[in-house]
């Protein structure tokens, strides 16, 4: 039986890679048609598309009352995006970071992490009670009011990106061959189906393999589910970087982190208020620290170097080890 799940895992990965390849072609083609930068496409179309697995998992978790999964999935995915997705891309090739992302989108992502931490756990943090709580005890809550604020912010953010894209169109290059609009749409849709379907199959097969080897549900959630739902960002960003669409790759990571907090957690909490356990407070603090470190890397020479990428991968391994040990 394990052999069957391993086979499903391999086929799923193949679907993910092929889907990402088609999806990047369609997305970059769309950018050329509408004369917008790859950064904007990465922050919107690609980010939303690759965040669909997180949305599905967190919404389902909220409907079933598994609130800790909804929160840990978002935080775990954002950590994975920053440290592993950008880290792997940087190890393959130093990753230039667009000035717009450094000045606008990355700081916005950090501010959202601070907002989430303070809005959900302010009383526990300032009283110091969070440090005396057990890992699974409630330290705060993502209320429906906060959910409305998060969803309102995502609408404003997308509206601003559209306005900015129209205000600063990218000049056409006569050397670039444009893909027809209908073909771009088909590429994006087919790519998304393969990415989302492949991602779900990877998570399913990995869970079954993990259970066969005696892993607990909590450990599976912290590792395999967070990894599986972030595979679209990883594969899409690596493929984009290899195709020379580095701006799209970085935009995908930063945009996905923003969408994870605003859209995914917003939708989940709107369905049912989401409890935040003490363990998630520590994870949010780690995410904030990691975000600041990667932001500093982005500021220096406006690129993430190979050694910085390697350091980020080591940091992810350390944070995962900490999560497992606690």
């Amino acid at each position: 039986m394990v052999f069957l799940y391993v086979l499903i895992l391999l086929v799923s990965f193949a679907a993910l890679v092929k889907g990402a390849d088609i999806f990047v072609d369609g997305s970059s083609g769309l950018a050329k048609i509408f004369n917008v930068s790859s950064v904007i496409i990465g922050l919107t179309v690609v980010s939303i598309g690759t965040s669909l697995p997180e949305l599905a998992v967190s919404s389902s978790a909220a409907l079933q009352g598994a609130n800790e999964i909804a929160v840990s999935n978002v935080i775990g995915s954002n950590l994975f995006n920053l440290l592993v997705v950008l880290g792997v891309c940087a190890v393959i090739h130093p990753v230039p970071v667009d000035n717009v992302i450094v000045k606008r989108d990355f700081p916005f992502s950090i501010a959202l992490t601070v907002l989430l931490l303070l809005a959900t756990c302010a009383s526990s943090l300032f009283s110091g009670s969070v440090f005396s709580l057990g890992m699974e005890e409630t330290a705060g809550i993502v209320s429906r009011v906060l959910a409305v604020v998060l969803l309102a912010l995502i609408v404003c953010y997308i509206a601003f990106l559209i306005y900015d894209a129209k205000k600063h169109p990218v000049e056409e290059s006569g050397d670039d061959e444009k893909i027809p609009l209908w073909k771009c749409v088909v590429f994006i849709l087919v790519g998304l189906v393969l990415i989302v379907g492949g991602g779900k199959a990877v998570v399913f097969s990995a869970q079954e393999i993990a259970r066969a080897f005696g892993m607990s549900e909590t450990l599976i959630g912290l590792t395999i589910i967070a990894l599986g739902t972030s595979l679209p960002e990883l594969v899409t960003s690596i493929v984009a970087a290899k195709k020379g669409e580095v701006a799209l790759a970085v935009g995908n990571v930063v945009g996905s982190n923003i969408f994870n907090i605003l859209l995914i957690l917003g939708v989940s909490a709107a369905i049912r208020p989401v409890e935040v356990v003490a363990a998630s407070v520590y994870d949010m603090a780690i995410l904030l620290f990691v975000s600041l470190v990667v932001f500093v890397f982005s500021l220096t020479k406006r690129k993430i170097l190979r050694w910085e990428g390697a350091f980020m991968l080591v940091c992810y391994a350390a944070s995962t080890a900490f999560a497992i040990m606690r």
Side-chain angles (χ1 to χ4, degrees):
M1 202 63 177
V2 174
F3 174 77
L4 175 61
Y5 292 129
V6 171
L7 183 62
I8 293 172
L9 187 66
L10 294 174
V11 173
S12 305
F13 270 121
L16 263 173
V17 173
K18 186 60 181 175
D21 186 53
I22 297 171
F23 187 60
V24 168
D25 284 343
S27 300
S28 58
L30 201 66
K32 291 171 185 174
I33 289 173
F34 290 103
N35 297 327
V36 298
S37 70
S38 295
V39 171
I40 298 296
I41 296 296
L43 287 167
T44 52
V45 176
V46 178
S47 296
I48 294 172
T50 55
S51 291
L52 287 177
E54 284 97 334
L55 180 60
V57 170
S58 293
S59 299
S60 299
L63 284 169
Q64 295 168 16
N67 298 322
E68 69 284 352
I69 293 178
V71 176
S72 63
N73 181 40
V74 166
I75 298 169
S77 293
N78 281 15
L79 276 171
F80 187 89
N81 288 346
L82 281 173
L83 296 178
V84 179
V85 177
L86 278 183
V88 169
C89 287
V91 168
I92 293 171
H93 188 279
V95 177
V97 183
D98 192 278
N99 279 332
V100 173
I101 288 181
V102 171
K103 292 179 180 178
R104 183 189 67 195
D105 304 294
F106 215 140
F108 183 52
S109 175
I110 294 171
L112 288 177
T113 306
V114 174
L115 170 66
L116 182 62
L117 183 61
L118 293 180
T120 57
C121 315
S123 58
S124 297
L125 285 170
F126 293 126
S127 67
S129 61
V130 69
F131 302 109
S132 61
L133 293 173
M135 288 294 103
E136 299 305 316
E137 290 186 69
T138 302
I141 190 169
V142 183
S143 65
R144 282 199 172 96
V145 173
L146 180 56
V148 171
V149 172
L150 295 177
L151 293 173
L153 281 173
I154 194 63
V155 172
C156 294
Y157 178 66
I158 293 173
F160 176 78
L161 288 179
I162 294 171
Y163 166 77
D164 189 60
K166 288 183 177 179
K167 189 177 179 182
H168 303 100
V170 175
E171 291 188 16
E172 292 188 47
S173 174
D175 299 330
D176 292 331
E177 184 181 344
K178 289 185 178 179
I179 303 173
L181 178 59
W182 69 268
K183 203 170 184 179
C184 290
V185 173
V186 170
F187 277 10
I188 289 171
L189 293 177
V190 172
L192 274 178
V193 169
L194 289 173
I195 288 170
V196 175
K200 284 187 176 181
V202 165
V203 172
F204 167 74
S205 55
Q207 280 180 298
E208 294 303 322
I209 293 169
R211 288 193 184 102
F213 285 97
M215 286 178 66
S216 68
E217 292 294 325
T218 301
L219 187 54
I220 290 171
L222 283 169
T223 55
I224 293 170
I225 293 179
L227 169 64
T229 54
S230 294
L231 277 175
E233 283 90 346
L234 176 61
V235 179
T236 302
S237 293
I238 291 173
V239 171
K242 285 188 173 182
K243 286 176 174 284
E245 296 286 349
V246 181
L248 190 149
V250 178
N252 175 31
V253 168
V254 177
S256 291
N257 281 13
I258 291 171
F259 278 94
N260 283 349
I261 293 175
L262 295 181
L263 180 64
I264 295 172
L265 203 53
V267 169
S268 299
I271 294 171
R272 178 178 294 183
V274 178
E275 292 181 356
V276 179
V277 297
S280 292
V281 178
Y282 293 125
D283 290 334
M284 275 190 267
I286 291 171
L287 175 60
L288 179 58
F289 173 74
V290 163
S291 298
L292 290 170
V293 169
V294 178
F295 181 59
V296 171
F297 286 166
S298 302
L299 285 174
T300 56
K301 299 182 180 179
R302 288 295 192 272
K303 65 172 63 175
I304 300 174
L305 305 175
R306 278 197 174 95
W307 75 264
E308 292 170 335
F311 176 76
M312 288 153 64
L313 293 174
V314 171
C315 286
Y316 183 77
S319 66
T320 302
F322 172 71
I324 293 170
M325 285 189 294
R326 77 183 180 210

